[in-house]
Amino acid sequence: MNAAFIPVRGGSKSIPLKNIKKMAGYPLVYWTIKAACECNKIDRVYVSTDSDQIREEVQKFSYNKIQVINRSSETANDTASTESAMMEFASKYEFDNIALIQATSPLLTSDDLVKGFEILEEDNVDSVISVVKQKRFLWESDSLGNANAINYNIHFRPRRQDFDGFYVENGAFYLTSKQLLMKSQNRISGNIRICEMDESTYFEIDELSDWVITEQLLKMRLANVTTKLQNCNIKLVATDCDGVLTDGGMYYTINGDSIKKFNTLDGMGVEILKKHNIKTAIITGENNAMVKLRGEKLGIDDIILGQKDKKAALFSLCNKYHLEPSEIAYIGDDIFDIPAIESCGFGCAPCTAQEKVKNSAKYVTSKGAGQGCFREIVDIICATNNNI
């Protein structure tokens, strides 16, 4: 079992409660939790905190892998090491390998973590550390105050393109086994390999200046999502029901009747699409009267029940409304949805979807099933659609 361990203290001198301060619209710790939960190499994500405020914020996130655990005051004070929190965690929980992830690295992605674990799985590798490559010339001052170059010859100053540079820890993640952690009491030990991340991930958030720079980089990355939509001109949004509009739960009354829980945020999303003359459809493999009733109440244009071939249903809608597949957005959460997700212009999945489904999608929501994920996609479409 691979466990992610994200330690977040309530105390922070430079930026008060920085771990839950909003960055690009979400608490700072959300971004690394998102990366860990969306990594198919990680089975469980433990968020260790001494703060009730942080606990309450993290418990709002819709990822099933999260478990918030207590961090003792002894491991959360200003002088305590991160290793002390890791050892405290390791003494109480079972796992094979651990990914120490720092909340101060919000540019971390699930792909970075997958790459790191793939390196850890190689022969004769005990630990992995995330780094970025820097092409800077390093100097030091000796006891007499004289400056000396460390990593180049001043008489043969290399051009940047000819300079190999050096690797710097970016503090994003550290991987090792529980066995080695307990033995060395260190986040890394044994045969250590590096996992190179993008140069933009150099910054760790310790000061306000780091915050400003990193938030802008994160916003630029998020803006790239909209480029996937710029040439789509979405005219129809279709969705599965269970696992998207509902939380996928099975609820029964005392009389044995099944009921479903829907989210009003998604209902408003349908209203927004209607105002912009964008068609809507529900495509589900179920033959459930409640889905039909909910769809009719919202004014969904097409309610297709008992249809497991979602791709065929999408092409039927293309013919009906004289649309190209590129003009359709589809949202699904399970393997039956993958063909539809891959064949339309903007295929999406909730963050709570199956890993294979999320890997097939162009966009994975930050909100979970039944938590407003449909509305999240509506907002993105309406912010970027060519006809709005």
Side-chain angles (χ1 to χ4, degrees):
M1 173 190 167
N2 293 330
F5 178 70
I6 306 177
V8 281
R9 295 193 307 131
S12 174
K13 295 295 188 292
S14 57
I15 306 174
L17 280 174
K18 71 178 177 182
N19 289 309
I20 54 173
K21 178 179 167 66
K22 292 291 181 68
M23 168 169 283
Y26 292 88
L28 175 63
V29 69
Y30 164 81
W31 297 107
T32 46
I33 289 175
K34 181 178 188 293
C37 287
E38 292 178 0
C39 173
N40 57 19
K41 297 283 187 178
I42 292 174
D43 301 293
R44 197 74 180 152
V45 178
Y46 295 91
V47 180
S48 173
T49 185
D50 61 325
S51 167
D52 290 337
Q53 283 181 269
I54 293 175
R55 174 184 291 275
E56 290 173 7
E57 283 294 326
V58 172
Q59 288 175 337
K60 295 176 184 177
F61 303 158
S62 329
Y63 291 106
N64 294 328
K65 291 183 182 180
I66 300 175
Q67 182 173 342
V68 186
I69 61 175
N70 291 325
R71 181 174 177 178
S72 67
S73 56
E74 291 78 16
T75 67
N77 61 47
D78 291 340
T79 59
S81 66
T82 300
E83 272 76 6
S84 68
M86 295 177 72
M87 295 300 295
E88 179 181 58
F89 164 68
S91 69
K92 298 178 180 178
Y93 295 88
E94 292 299 322
F95 57 90
D96 298 309
N97 300 306
I98 183 172
L100 168 63
I101 297 175
Q102 309 274 43
T104 49
S105 298
L107 294 172
L108 174 70
T109 70
S110 58
D111 289 340
D112 295 322
L113 291 168
V114 168
K115 183 179 175 183
F117 273 105
E118 288 175 346
I119 295 171
L120 186 67
E121 291 164 1
E122 294 174 2
D123 293 337
N124 301 316
V125 179
D126 297 314
S127 302
V128 178
I129 182 172
S130 64
V131 300
V132 294
K133 179 171 279 190
Q134 292 286 292
K135 294 191 175 184
R136 305 285 184 180
F137 298 124
L138 302 182
W139 288 74
E140 64 181 357
S141 181
D142 63 23
S143 59
L144 298 176
N146 296 317
N148 300 293
I150 296 175
N151 63 337
Y152 80 107
N153 186 328
I154 62 171
H155 301 292
F156 300 96
R157 186 183 186 92
R159 298 181 306 167
R160 179 178 174 83
Q161 59 266 39
D162 300 325
F163 185 41
D164 288 336
F166 55 93
Y167 292 109
V168 180
E169 286 187 42
N170 65 351
F173 69 86
Y174 306 81
L175 311 181
T176 194
S177 66
K178 179 177 181 178
Q179 181 181 9
L180 283 175
L181 171 64
M182 300 296 283
K183 180 179 179 180
S184 68
Q185 298 189 28
N186 200 313
R187 68 187 72 185
I188 49 174
S189 61
N191 297 324
I192 303 169
R193 296 281 181 89
I194 61 171
C195 179
E196 186 176 353
M197 290 175 58
D198 187 88
E199 188 177 2
S200 65
T201 65
Y202 172 80
F203 295 96
E204 290 183 78
I205 298 176
D206 292 317
E207 305 295 336
L208 281 172
S209 57
D210 302 325
W211 187 285
V212 172
I213 294 169
T214 306
E215 185 169 38
Q216 288 305 310
L217 291 170
L218 184 55
K219 286 180 177 179
M220 288 170 61
R221 177 186 290 177
L222 294 173
N224 288 335
V225 173
T226 65
T227 63
K228 298 174 182 178
L229 274 166
Q230 286 175 353
N231 297 318
C232 291
N233 193 19
I234 299 300
K235 295 180 179 178
L236 185 148
V237 178
T239 181
D240 186 17
C241 184
D242 283 338
V244 181
L245 298 178
T246 78
D247 59 7
M250 302 289 289
Y251 302 94
Y252 293 92
T253 67
I254 194 170
N255 297 321
D257 299 319
S258 63
I259 56 176
K260 294 181 182 293
K261 177 185 175 184
F262 294 89
N263 193 298
T264 56
L265 288 174
D266 294 333
M268 181 56 68
V270 175
E271 286 296 315
I272 292 170
L273 292 175
K274 290 170 73 71
K275 288 179 181 178
H276 293 295
N277 298 315
I278 297 175
K279 297 290 185 181
T280 53
I282 294 176
I283 306 172
T284 175
E286 284 191 293
N287 236 320
N288 192 302
M290 281 183 293
V291 176
K292 187 172 186 293
L293 186 65
R294 176 62 175 168
E296 289 175 345
K297 182 176 181 180
L298 293 178
I300 298 288
D301 294 294
D302 293 88
I303 305 166
I304 304 173
L305 305 177
Q307 174 60 281
K308 293 189 181 296
D309 190 341
K310 311 294 183 70
K311 181 179 178 180
L314 282 189
F315 279 93
S316 175
L317 291 171
C318 283
N319 292 331
K320 178 178 180 179
Y321 293 113
H322 307 290
L323 301 176
E324 296 296 327
S326 62
E327 296 175 310
I328 294 179
Y330 180 79
I331 313 158
D333 74 304
D334 215 332
I335 55 174
F336 292 113
D337 298 300
I338 291 177
I341 287 172
E342 293 180 336
S343 64
C344 70
F346 191 47
C348 306
C351 62
T352 45
Q354 295 293 308
E355 292 296 329
K356 287 183 178 180
V357 181
K358 291 191 286 188
N359 291 337
S360 301
K362 288 184 178 178
Y363 180 72
V364 176
T365 66
S366 60
K367 297 185 185 299
Q371 299 295 319
C373 59
F374 180 88
R375 171 64 182 276
E376 180 179 334
I377 292 166
V378 168
D379 289 343
I380 291 172
I381 290 171
C382 289
T384 58
N385 219 16
N386 292 344
N387 65 359
I388 294 174

